[in-house]
Amino acid sequence: MATRIADASDPEAIREAARIIRRGGLVAFPTETVYGLGADALDPLAVARIFAVKGRPRLDPLIVHVAGAAEASSYGIFPGPAHGLMQRFWPGPLTLVVKKAPAVPDIVTAGLETVALRVPSHPAALALIRAADRAIAAPSANPFGYVSPTEASHVAAQLGGAVDLILDGGPSSVGVESTILSLDGEVPALLRAGGITLEALTALLGTVEIATDPGAKPQAPGQMKRHYATRTPLEITDAGGPAAGERVGLLSLGPEDARGYAAVEILSPTGDLGEGAARFFGALRRLDGMALDRILARPFPETGLGRALMDRLRRAASR
Ligand code: AMP
Ligand code: MG
């Protein structure tokens, strides 16, 4: 049976979603980054369903979503530098990895001694966490490895029938996943580029170690080389176009010569990275739905949000 999609701005829908979470069910819900597939973080059976529905390997730990910094301190042990970060960037797209509190089940952290915590800023996400009165473990609401969902319709297309309710809160405003910063070592370490820029973190912290290369250190078991991937082969190139008889799609941040392409996605007419990020995954999905031979993606500038976008593109292009 198709899963019902409820309007996230309807308080009754939030109450229903909260009841589902409290009895161990799964709710897909909007966040400012991407749509999440949520379950009660302290209920190992409910969390196990997340892994099953996504086809996600159990060694890939989940982010725990909480309503505020005070709630976060029940699940993790926050060192000094965390406080400035929480004050500056929460609620928002920054996930902090810290030593876990005993309450957090092993299935959530994939057996690690650390836990990833975040306070989302989307009002419906916060309303759900508060109404459920639970910490909510949630990865992106898509099959493991595929393009992330930034609209309720993306979730319905792929996980409809497998989850108990989908909350529709409109398109995700940031559009890429949270930045993951580990505070478990001597120096704060960037584990995943995301919605909060490295520049913003460095301005606050001074030094940030960059540990986003999947080959570098197995700090984040979820740093899979191939991820966020279209079924259509994707190539990153700043030159080149379609060969004769070939159906090729083009993905570009700013305006591009569209001649010869079967489909073109220009993410932002002004080349704005914020607008580009918000439209990125939706554009990839549209191109992937067109039975193209190939998708060509123009590289993003690797500053600000461009870092997160290039990270997603590289993983999507990896075979
Ligand atoms: P997703 O929810 O799919 O956006 O992925 C969450 C990501 O958070 C995982 O793939 C991991 O890379 C990362 N993560 C979660 N928990 C931890 C942790 N305890 N230590 C390091 N990375 C983590
Ligand atoms: Mg994901």
Side-chain angles (χ1 to χ4, degrees):
M1 210 179 65
T3 303
R4 197 161 66 80
I5 303 180
D7 179 354
S9 64
D10 172 7
E12 183 45 47
I14 296 291
R15 283 193 289 272
E16 183 188 351
R19 285 193 295 271
I20 292 169
I21 296 288
R22 293 176 70 105
R23 61 163 196 258
L26 297 187
V27 174
F29 64 100
T31 84
E32 72 280 19
T33 59
V34 302
Y35 273 66
L37 178 59
D40 178 350
L42 298 192
D43 178 344
L45 286 180
V47 174
R49 274 189 69 202
I50 294 179
F51 285 92
V53 163
K54 276 185 65 84
R56 180 176 174 114
R58 290 278 185 104
L59 56 74
D60 192 359
L62 303 179
I63 295 171
V64 176
H65 296 72
V66 292
E71 289 82 352
S73 62
S74 316
Y75 305 100
I77 300 148
F78 288 86
H83 300 284
L85 288 163
M86 294 189 286
Q87 208 160 41
R88 172 83 179 75
F89 297 114
W90 281 3
L94 178 68
T95 295
L96 297 177
V97 171
V98 297
K99 287 259 181 308
K100 85 177 192 80
V104 182
D106 279 343
I107 187 169
V108 171
T109 63
L112 297 175
E113 286 308 308
T114 53
V115 61
L117 286 155
R118 174 168 109 82
V119 178
S121 68
H122 194 297
L126 284 173
L128 174 61
I129 295 164
R130 291 209 180 97
D133 194 22
R134 292 286 188 277
I136 297 185
S140 52
N142 57 325
F144 180 72
Y146 190 63
V147 180
S148 301
T150 52
E151 294 179 19
S153 65
H154 300 162
V155 182
Q158 293 194 296
L159 301 184
V163 306
D164 299 307
L165 184 68
I166 299 170
L167 289 175
D168 184 351
S172 296
S173 60
V174 175
V176 289
E177 289 80 358
S178 60
T179 298
I180 303 181
L181 186 74
S182 171
L183 299 178
D184 190 38
E186 294 274 292
V187 178
L190 183 74
L191 302 186
R192 175 173 75 185
I196 298 294
T197 64
L198 179 62
E199 290 86 341
L201 293 177
T202 308
L204 192 84
L205 293 170
T207 329
V208 176
E209 182 197 341
I210 300 183
T212 48
D213 178 358
K217 259 191 240 165
Q219 277 200 59
Q223 291 173 337
M224 310 291 172
K225 190 155 184 278
R226 178 170 167 78
H227 209 86
Y228 315 108
T230 50
R231 319 242 185 264
T232 314
L234 182 143
E235 264 169 67
I236 309 167
T237 168
D238 53 13
E246 211 190 6
R247 279 172 47 81
V248 178
L250 178 69
L251 178 78
S252 169
L253 176 64
E256 270 278 335
D257 182 0
R259 273 173 301 179
Y261 289 94
V264 178
E265 292 283 350
I266 303 299
L267 298 179
S268 164
T270 60
D272 178 72
L273 281 167
E275 186 180 15
R279 300 187 53 197
F280 175 73
F281 282 128
L284 268 187
R285 237 170 228 272
R286 275 190 299 278
L287 291 173
D288 203 24
M290 296 184 69
L292 300 165
D293 298 317
R294 284 191 297 149
I295 299 169
L296 293 188
R298 297 292 183 234
F300 294 94
E302 283 190 78
T303 58
L305 285 173
R307 230 180 264 276
L309 292 170
M310 273 309 280
D311 168 83
R312 305 304 183 271
L313 265 191
R314 287 202 182 94
R315 289 178 212 270
S318 170
R319 294 283 129 181

